[in-house]
Amino acid sequence: MDNFDSCVSFHISDGAFLGRFVRLDNVINTILNNHHYPVQVSAVVAESTALAALLASTIKYDGLFTLQTKSNGPVPMVVVDVTSQGKIRACADYDEEKIRKAQELRKTTGEIEPAPHFMGEGVLAFTVDQGPNTELYQGIVDLQGKDLSECAMRYFKQSEQIETYLQLYLQAPQNESERWKSAGILLQKLPSHGGKEILDEESQKEAWNQAVIFMQSLQPAEVFNPDISSQDLLYRLYHADDLQIDKSKDYSFGCRCSREKLWNTLHAMKPQDIDDMCENGKITATCHFCGTTYSFDKGELLAQ
Ligand SMILES: [Zn+2]
């Protein structure tokens, strides 16, 4: 059994708190192999992807979950898509000169820093798109805090009023045989408990604090150990707290681009604009997510 590229859903404390545990390997490496990002940008993308998968797993939706950042730093934009089918794709914009300057300034060349440092000031937004005739759900929070998990926790506190605790993990390859890995674990206090109050407020507070302390004890070496299943790791943390494993969902890389989609976009453009985009009678476009290059004939596009 592969212990990565999945999300395990669980409950603890007699169902009072829900949990999610995401571990990513192939998905991250496929995304990063499609691009040739500087190491710091790869780290930002890997960390953002773990957060996106974790957040998407807490929402019931049929369609597309998107995490997007917009900021003024060396990595001014990151986009991660997670479909309800478990297909993930991601990409980022970056400014190499700004990355170099930022590293010089902090004298930390080569070290991986938490994502927000390289994103700069800006916002982190989530949207859930369930197709035509449905309401677009959107959440937004400032990119502030020591890492992305702090941003996300602030979002839940401010906008959703759901007590949430989460941690993100990142492993950068130290040599050519190693791979990128990222992970995240989350606990949420359920607002109501199926009509029955099992824990009074004081014991619930105590149980919550205890569960958070256990989560904080989870070490990167365990999280990234391929020989330990997510279920076993959760058992180590929460076996004394009435752990119930609910289900597991698999993830894989998947891009939603297609020749047909791009054709429809280009075909709807003004002939003058198409003319401006053409080079040697052709328009060539490369997908930012998967790197697939599509080429169209000017004559073809202008026909009809
Ligand atoms: Zn694509």
Side-chain angles (χ1 to χ4, degrees):
M1 188 180 67
D2 198 344
N3 292 320
F4 282 79
D5 300 301
S6 67
C7 173
V8 174
S9 304
F10 61 97
H11 281 86
I12 54 169
S13 295
D14 207 3
F17 313 139
L18 72 76
R20 300 285 186 268
F21 185 28
V22 167
R23 295 161 95 192
L24 302 174
D25 178 342
N26 282 330
V27 167
I28 294 297
N29 289 283
T30 308
I31 289 169
L32 297 178
N33 286 339
N34 287 335
H35 305 92
H36 295 281
Y37 294 139
V39 68
Q40 191 61 60
V41 182
S42 294
V44 170
V45 171
E47 193 177 335
S48 305
T49 305
L51 177 62
L54 202 58
L55 297 180
S57 75
T58 65
I59 301 170
K60 224 181 170 146
Y61 69 104
D62 183 9
L64 183 68
F65 174 96
T66 301
L67 177 154
Q68 180 159 10
T69 65
K70 262 195 179 9
S71 53
N72 64 2
V75 184
M77 191 201 72
V78 177
V79 182
V80 186
D81 281 349
V82 184
T83 73
S84 43
Q85 309 297 320
K87 298 282 181 202
I88 298 181
R89 66 177 191 174
C91 69
D93 276 350
Y94 65 95
D95 182 325
E96 218 150 339
E97 185 56 22
K98 278 189 183 173
I99 291 175
R100 199 184 54 77
K101 277 189 184 154
Q103 285 180 328
E104 244 175 41
L105 210 66
R106 299 191 193 96
K107 299 186 171 56
T108 57
T109 316
E111 268 175 48
I112 300 291
E113 291 186 56
H117 298 193
F118 274 80
M119 289 170 162
E121 287 171 20
V123 291
L124 175 71
F126 330 108
T127 51
V128 180
D129 185 351
Q130 304 198 84
N133 307 320
T134 59
E135 212 173 312
L136 192 76
Y137 167 86
Q138 187 164 34
I140 196 158
V141 68
D142 284 340
L143 271 172
Q144 276 174 10
K146 70 172 170 46
D147 55 25
L148 280 184
S149 61
E150 267 193 15
C151 299
M153 283 192 273
R154 214 174 47 254
Y155 167 75
F156 281 111
K157 198 169 184 167
Q158 287 170 359
S159 308
E160 303 281 319
Q161 272 114 41
I162 302 175
E163 184 136 16
T164 303
Y165 193 84
L166 68 105
Q167 289 185 170
L168 297 172
Y169 296 83
L170 180 69
Q171 182 177 279
Q174 299 301 313
N175 56 57
E176 288 208 348
S177 65
E178 282 187 6
R179 294 159 62 84
W180 283 94
K181 283 178 183 165
S182 64
I185 183 166
L186 168 148
L187 275 181
Q188 252 174 9
K189 235 183 224 181
L190 289 171
S192 79
H193 191 42
K196 54 174 186 167
E197 279 306 323
I198 289 188
L199 296 174
D200 60 66
E201 211 173 303
E202 200 48 43
S203 355
Q204 199 180 72
K205 213 172 170 181
E206 217 169 277
W208 174 261
N209 291 340
Q210 192 62 55
V212 166
I213 290 170
F214 283 146
M215 191 201 282
Q216 288 167 340
S217 74
L218 184 61
Q219 296 301 312
E222 301 172 281
V223 172
F224 295 125
N225 184 335
D227 300 324
I228 312 177
S229 73
S230 301
Q231 287 81 354
D232 284 350
L233 279 176
L234 290 172
Y235 184 78
R236 284 185 191 180
L237 290 182
Y238 296 123
H239 66 95
D241 199 6
D242 191 27
L243 171 70
Q244 294 167 49
I245 303 278
D246 300 326
K247 57 181 180 187
S248 168
K249 182 187 172 91
D250 291 336
Y251 297 118
S252 60
F253 172 79
C255 193
R256 297 177 300 112
C257 71
S258 72
R259 191 179 167 78
E260 194 189 348
K261 274 190 198 167
L262 203 54
W263 165 268
N264 290 339
T265 309
L266 290 170
H267 203 242
M269 287 170 71
K270 290 184 196 137
Q272 182 58 51
D273 293 339
I274 290 183
D275 218 41
D276 292 346
M277 288 167 71
C278 274
E279 241 174 84
N280 303 323
K282 277 185 186 304
I283 289 183
T284 306
T286 302
C287 174
H288 287 302
F289 289 96
C290 68
T292 305
T293 296
Y294 299 94
S295 176
F296 299 89
D297 237 35
K298 180 178 160 185
E300 242 183 298
L301 283 167
L302 292 177
Q304 287 173 31

